[in-house]
Amino acid sequence: MSTEQFTPRWIALDGAVNARAVVPGVLLRTDNLQSLSDDDVRRLVQDERVEVVVDLRTDFEVSREGPGPVTREPSVRIEHRSLYPDSGGNADLDAATVDLWRVDDGVAPEETPVVRAYLSYLRRRPDSIVASVASIARAQGAVLVHCAAGKDRTGVVVALALDAAGVDREIIVADYLATAERIEAILERLVASPTYRDELAGHDPQRHAPLSGTMERVLALVDQRFGGAAAWLTAHGLPDADLRRLTERLAPLR
């Protein structure tokens, strides 16, 4: 698939605004699923064939927001894969503003806070990232990956999966940047929640939009430091069979 052929396939839901199918029937990504309607759940399960939901929110977010209505669907398996080292009391809503991630991870200090944060996910929670990618590889139906906004944590996991499967970098970046189309609706929805209101109230939505150059730089650093996403994943425990299966399942984007 060429970059010109790639356009996000948005999924219209009552209770989420950043929902799209990266590979229909295989990999979906969304913002928080807490407010899904019964019709939303039916669509995700029946029409989009969701089998697994990978929830990247922290334990704190899940406890504050609740598990969400998808948990009532017996055919769907929910996997909580926080990207925080210790999720108690934290809501990793915007990577650029969370001081916890501004640590020395061997990344040059001139890198942007978002780039440093994204690489911190790899250093601090490789277990969660590898398990998330393994779920994408092993599922028979679709895997839905989400966090709060569907931008930072979701963006990193999806980008690494796509990169490991050999998807063109320009397509990976285009998928990452697509969240910018929905950023105002995402912020409006999050500000309505007490969990995120204090952090976001009064912010210009564009302050939180994904920026061109961010994901390109992250993937370039993964190449330089680890030999690429596939090498990083296998070095941290992803079996070769899962990598082959991942490549097969994401082949429509190649």
Side-chain angles (χ1 to χ4, degrees):
M1 176 185 291
S2 68
T3 307
E4 292 75 17
Q5 292 173 312
F6 175 79
T7 55
R9 183 169 81 72
W10 296 102
I11 303 170
L13 299 174
D14 300 323
V17 296
N18 193 20
R20 58 189 185 269
V22 182
V23 178
V26 176
L27 177 59
L28 281 59
R29 56 183 294 171
T30 73
D31 49 331
N32 197 345
L33 302 180
Q34 183 59 32
S35 300
L36 294 185
S37 66
D38 290 342
D39 284 345
D40 291 340
V41 175
R42 179 203 57 75
R43 177 168 186 182
L44 291 173
V45 174
Q46 297 182 15
D47 299 346
E48 303 294 341
R49 300 180 55 237
V50 170
E51 174 187 327
V52 180
V53 170
V54 175
D55 184 349
L56 301 176
R57 296 177 300 162
T58 65
D59 295 341
F60 171 74
E61 290 170 279
V62 174
S63 66
R64 287 287 300 268
E65 297 281 287
V70 179
T71 58
R72 299 195 294 268
E73 177 54 54
S75 65
V76 177
R77 183 172 76 253
I78 311 294
E79 299 180 355
H80 289 108
R81 306 288 183 191
S82 173
L83 298 189
Y84 258 77
D86 179 358
S87 60
N90 296 309
D92 178 23
L93 182 61
D94 183 1
T97 63
V98 179
D99 288 337
L100 176 65
W101 295 112
R102 296 178 181 175
V103 295
D104 181 7
D105 283 319
V107 183
E110 62 266 23
E111 300 291 350
T112 69
V114 176
V115 168
R116 292 173 64 83
Y118 286 4
L119 289 173
S120 292
Y121 298 157
L122 277 68
R123 180 174 185 262
R124 291 174 176 267
R125 290 308 301 264
D127 57 327
S128 288
I129 295 174
V130 170
S132 299
V133 174
S135 293
I136 298 168
R138 296 171 186 173
Q140 297 300 311
V143 176
L144 187 158
V145 182
H146 83 94
C147 52
K151 181 190 66 164
D152 296 318
R153 293 169 284 185
T154 298
V156 169
V157 169
V158 170
L160 290 174
L162 297 179
D163 195 56
V167 175
D168 188 274
R169 290 279 172 90
E170 292 185 359
I171 292 175
I172 298 172
V173 170
D175 174 64
Y176 170 71
L177 293 176
T179 292
E181 299 180 32
R182 302 295 175 94
I183 198 65
E184 292 187 5
I186 293 168
L187 265 289
E188 180 180 357
R189 183 166 176 259
L190 290 172
V191 168
S193 166
T195 304
Y196 309 109
R197 184 178 301 130
D198 289 346
E199 185 176 341
L200 293 174
H203 287 198
D204 178 355
Q206 294 308 312
R207 169 182 170 184
H208 300 275
L211 298 176
S212 178
T214 297
M215 192 54 70
E216 295 97 319
R217 184 58 180 159
V218 169
L219 294 175
L221 288 169
V222 171
D223 287 344
Q224 293 172 19
R225 299 178 71 188
F226 309 113
W232 183 87
L233 287 164
T234 54
H236 288 84
L238 185 74
D240 289 341
D242 284 347
L243 184 59
R244 290 192 295 271
R245 171 71 171 160
L246 181 75
T247 302
E248 292 171 0
R249 279 174 54 81
L250 300 179
L253 284 182
R254 299 177 64 213

